[in-house]
């Protein structure tokens, strides 16, 4: 096994780590931050730019002897938009409309199993992050606005609101903020909305904001910590209060003159610090051939919890790390076996069982793999192809029988306890995948007897009677595969025709999983009965 040293790779993760040191100074400790809105179901698209990528840059810095604290900000003061996709989770959709405009932290859990909306949907994401090698120190913006340092910055911005307006209006030529604009959204004390209030006066000594509510007509006063700054001021405040050195951001913030540029301009005007940054593209969910951007509020995507029912964390990590960050990713649950194939192939390259096309490609694959797994094993793991695991999952649910199949087919040879556990876990995941996402061609049913409507030449039947003898002798999958191929050539039959006949005999279809291992995986008595008859 050849370990890749940091000095030998030009991987984009390592390049970004070097950039952070260059921009932020060669410090011993760095602070990372990622911001996430819990406006609905947290999905695997959130993991890419906000969590997986920065966690691997963190890993690269730690390999250089640096310390990193990774904070994760959840935007809980943001308003509840009340989209149809959000409302449909409540028992009474119409009654739930009363929560529109409330802070997310105030919206009740639609299922009644958690304290509020935020805790409910975060329960599908946060508890599972460590499985991906992600360790964050979470903080909500609700907590953030209660901090003394935050209140000081709020006072600074509101006390200099005209200066703030002039800076931001340079980026808002079409819709400039008016002179009476106060960059703060107070909470209405009467109707609990934060989206329809207009700040009219600020009392910096008492930490209060007077407002007029366009929803209920209330004119009152609310404490600063109950509301929120305008988005760009909030972002700049988070950078400074949390002392952030690095924060990734979506491509929507990366456009010239966009929100990140305006935030940096604001920081410069007020002599505030701003972090190094990194732009990334979206993850799209492919469904019925139509890709849609994964979005929490629109309820489009697969939750982290749901993904872990069909896939291992390192497989998704590898997908994200082997794709350049500004390239779109089209995630289709039906293509999970393809993701596994890419990972397994990379693992073989890493342990030098397989060669890459070029030296540069090999270096890149090895670094992708090294970053994707939480802990690299000294010895190459034995892997069972996900496709074959899907087959085993349909043959039997009995764990001992699954173990026997893995040994009988030659997919595992004298496996370690870890290898066996990994294989059984893959079978379990693949079984869930078959039940929920697999295309029809992956779903098999072994026949009890040969279908009457299928005609098979006697020469081919003769070959499969001989295959039945091999099964009785305990031949493994590769031996059976090779035997069918060679015997068909001897009989002057095309191998394609012979294999097609085998599938017809066993599952009544023209194609299926790799035939030799598939035959070896079946119950010997059952399969010999089919082939001999």
């Amino acid at each position: 096994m050849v370990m890749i040293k940091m000095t030998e790779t030009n991987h984009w993760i390592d390049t970004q780590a070097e950039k952070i040191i260059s921009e932020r100074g060669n410090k011993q400790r760095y602070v990372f931050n990622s911001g996430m809105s819990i406006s609905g179901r947290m999905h695997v698209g959130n993991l890419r730019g906000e969590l997986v990528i920065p966690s691997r840059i963190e890993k690269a810095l730690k390999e250089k002897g640096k310390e990193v604290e990774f904070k994760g900000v959840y935007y809980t003061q943001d308003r509840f938009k009340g989209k149809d996709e959000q409302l449909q989770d409540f028992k009474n959709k119409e009654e739930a409309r009363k929560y529109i405009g409330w802070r997310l932290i105030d919206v009740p859990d639609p299922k009644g199993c958690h304290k509020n909306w935020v805790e409910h949907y975060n329960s599908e994401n946060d508890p599972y992050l460590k499985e991906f090698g992600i360790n964050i120190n979470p903080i909500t913006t609700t907590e953030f606005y209660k901090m003394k340092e935050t209140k000081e910055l709020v006072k600074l911005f509101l006390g200099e609101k005209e200066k703030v307006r002039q800076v931001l209006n340079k980026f808002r030529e079409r819709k400039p903020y008016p002179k009476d604009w106060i960059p703060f959204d107070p909470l209405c004390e009467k109707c609990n909305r934060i989206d329809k209030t207009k700040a009219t006066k600020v009392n910096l000594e008492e930490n209060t904001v007077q407002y007029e509510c366009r929803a209920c007509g209330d004119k009152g006063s609310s404490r600063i910590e109950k509301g929120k700054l305008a988005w760009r001021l909030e972002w700049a405040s988070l950078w400074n209060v949390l002392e952030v050195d690095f924060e990734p951001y979506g491509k929507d913030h990366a456009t010239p003159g966009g929100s990140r540029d305006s935030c940096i301009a604001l920081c410069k005007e007020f002599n505030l610090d701003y972090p190094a940054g990194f732009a990334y593209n979206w993850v799209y969910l492919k469904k019925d051939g139509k890709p849609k951007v994964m979005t929490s509020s629109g309820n489009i995507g697969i939750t982290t919890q749901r993904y872990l029912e069909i896939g291992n964390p390192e497989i998704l990590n590898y997908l994200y790390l082997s794709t350049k960050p500004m390239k779109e990713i089209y995630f289709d649950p039906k293509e999970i076996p393809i993701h596994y194939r890419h990972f397994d192939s990379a693992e073989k390259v890493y342990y030098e069982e397989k060669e890459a096309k070029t030296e540069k490609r090999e270096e890149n694959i090895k670094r992708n793999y090294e970053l994707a797994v939480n802990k690299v094993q000294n010895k190459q793991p034995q892997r069972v192809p996900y496709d074959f695991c899907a087959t085993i999952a349909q043959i039997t649910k009995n764990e001992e029988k699954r173990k026997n199949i893995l040994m009988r087919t030659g997919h595992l040879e004298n496996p370690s306890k870890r290898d066996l556990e990994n294989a059984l876990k893959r079978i379990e995941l693949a079984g869930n995948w078959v039940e929920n996402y697999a295309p029809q061609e992956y779903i098999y049913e072994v026949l009890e007897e040969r279908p009457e409507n299928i005609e098979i030449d006697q020469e081919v039947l003769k070959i499969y009677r001989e295959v039945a003898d091999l099964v009785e002798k305990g031949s493994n999958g590769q031996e059976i595969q090779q035997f069918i191929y060679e015997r068909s050539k001897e009989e002057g039959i095309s191998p394609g025709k012979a294999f097609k006949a085998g599938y017809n005999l066993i599952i009544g279809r023209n194609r299926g999983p790799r035939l030799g291992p598939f035959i070896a995986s079946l119950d010997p008595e059952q399969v010999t009965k089919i082939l001999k008859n």
Side-chain angles (χ1 to χ4, degrees), residues 447-495:
L447 304 175
E448 294 292 332
E449 55 186 29
R450 193 177 97 198
E452 294 181 1
N453 61 338
I454 293 178
E455 294 292 332
I456 299 178
D457 295 342
Q458 288 299 316
E459 292 85 357
V460 176
L461 290 175
K462 177 185 176 183
I463 293 174
Y464 281 101
R465 291 191 186 98
E466 294 171 2
V467 169
D469 293 334
L470 291 179
V471 172
E472 290 181 328
K473 292 176 182 178
S475 298
N476 64 36
Q478 184 55 39
E479 291 169 340
I480 294 172
Q481 183 83 9
Q482 192 66 26
F483 178 83
I484 296 170
Y485 179 83
E486 292 177 353
R487 283 290 288 117
S488 61
K489 300 282 278 187
E490 291 172 6
E491 294 288 340
I493 302 166
S494 73

Side-chain angles (χ1 to χ4, degrees), residues 26 51 67 84 104-105 159 192 194 219 243 246-247 250 295 320 324 377 391 422 434 445 462 504 507 523:
N26 191 7
L51 296 166
E67 298 172 15
D84 283 344
L104 290 171
I105 196 72
N192 210 39
I194 198 172
K219 294 181 179 180
E243 301 178 337
F246 170 76
E247 180 168 352
T295 168
Y320 288 164
K324 290 294 178 70
Q377 301 302 312
T391 300
N422 287 342
V434 168
E445 183 178 355
K462 177 185 176 183
N504 286 163
I507 59 176
D523 178 78

Side-chain angles (χ1 to χ4, degrees), residues 253-266:
H253 297 308
T255 55
S259 53
R260 179 171 164 81
D261 282 355
S262 60
C263 281
I264 291 174
L266 196 65

Side-chain angles (χ1 to χ4, degrees), residues 394 433-435 437-445 507 509:
Q394 296 174 77
W433 176 77
V434 168
E435 290 180 11
Y437 300 107
Q440 192 60 39
E441 60 264 28
Y442 279 90
I443 302 173
Y444 316 112
E445 183 178 355
I507 59 176
R509 284 156 57 176

